Amino acid sequence: MVSMDMLTIKTENKFRSLITKQAYKKGEVICEIPTEKVLGKANRYTVQIARDKHTNVGKLAALNHSCDPNVILDTERLLVYACRDIEKGEELSFFYPATEWEMDAPFICLCGSSSCIHVVAGARFLPLSTLEHHFLNRHIREMMIELLENTEQHLKNL
Ligand SMILES: [Zn+2]
């Protein structure tokens, strides 16, 4: 039922994107997040699923970042689902900082969205006022709280 068969990788000028061959309704599950190969360190083919776990996502590595995404990667349920209605033939994208705390290869976003974060480097580099508008996985929320507590502690010790 939920497999990656309906997803296809498109390459244009060396730029890869993930396209869906079918339409999805908001909330509908698209596929599972593969966890056969979990690493301790991030690379361009991994998605962070816990504080020190990065899973090789295979075909899903072609998912591009968007500041106004159409899918969510839920690393607790290990599912990819539509966060709005998606048409057949549309490119799928997700908000990288929703899973990535500190990215291996940061880049500048040119998505053109009015809420564009510009520098995509991981959640730890974004203000709470930006993050609060997005779905965030549990490990990201936990690390964010920890960072805030450490900062507070540090300020007290000055
Ligand atoms: Zn953007």
Side-chain angles (χ1 to χ4, degrees):
M1 180 193 85
V2 285
S3 81
M4 291 191 197
D5 294 350
M6 295 316 271
L7 306 177
T8 180
I9 296 173
K10 188 175 100 182
T11 308
E12 218 170 53
N13 300 324
K14 290 183 183 170
F15 188 76
R16 282 151 52 100
S17 51
L18 195 65
I19 309 294
T20 171
K21 291 188 259 183
Q22 73 167 81
Y24 294 97
K25 286 280 171 221
K26 180 178 178 177
E28 204 175 327
V29 172
I30 296 169
C31 65
E32 291 172 14
I33 299 175
T35 51
E36 291 85 30
K37 210 176 145 196
V38 176
L39 310 169
K41 207 174 162 291
N43 66 46
R44 49 191 290 221
Y45 305 106
T46 61
V47 162
Q48 188 171 9
I49 53 169
R51 182 180 295 264
D52 48 13
K53 283 185 184 162
H54 303 264
T55 188
N56 189 308
V57 290
K59 210 181 200 178
L60 294 181
L63 270 173
N64 287 312
H65 163 87
S66 173
C67 300
D68 185 18
N70 54 10
V71 306
I72 279 177
L73 273 65
D74 183 330
T75 62
E76 279 189 90
R77 295 192 297 154
L78 292 170
L79 292 175
V80 178
Y81 66 90
C83 57
R84 59 174 165 80
D85 290 354
I86 299 173
E87 285 172 41
K88 180 181 168 180
E90 227 184 291
E91 177 183 352
L92 302 183
S93 60
F94 81 104
F95 186 70
Y96 283 9
T99 62
E100 307 305 304
W101 177 244
E102 192 166 352
M103 282 167 51
D104 182 45
F107 60 91
I108 304 294
C109 183
L110 301 169
C111 75
S113 156
S114 59
S115 56
C116 184
I117 59 170
H118 305 296
V119 179
V120 184
R124 75 168 297 170
F125 303 105
L126 292 172
L128 279 181
S129 54
T130 300
L131 291 173
E132 70 187 9
H133 296 295
H134 292 274
F135 168 87
L136 299 174
N137 280 289
R138 183 199 275 196
H139 62 280
I140 295 296
R141 294 198 307 267
E142 285 176 355
M143 284 187 279
M144 183 52 69
I145 290 167
E146 203 171 289
L147 179 69
L148 289 171
E149 284 171 353
N150 288 344
T151 307
E152 209 170 294
Q153 200 57 43
H154 177 73
L155 289 174
K156 269 188 211 155
N157 294 339
L158 281 178

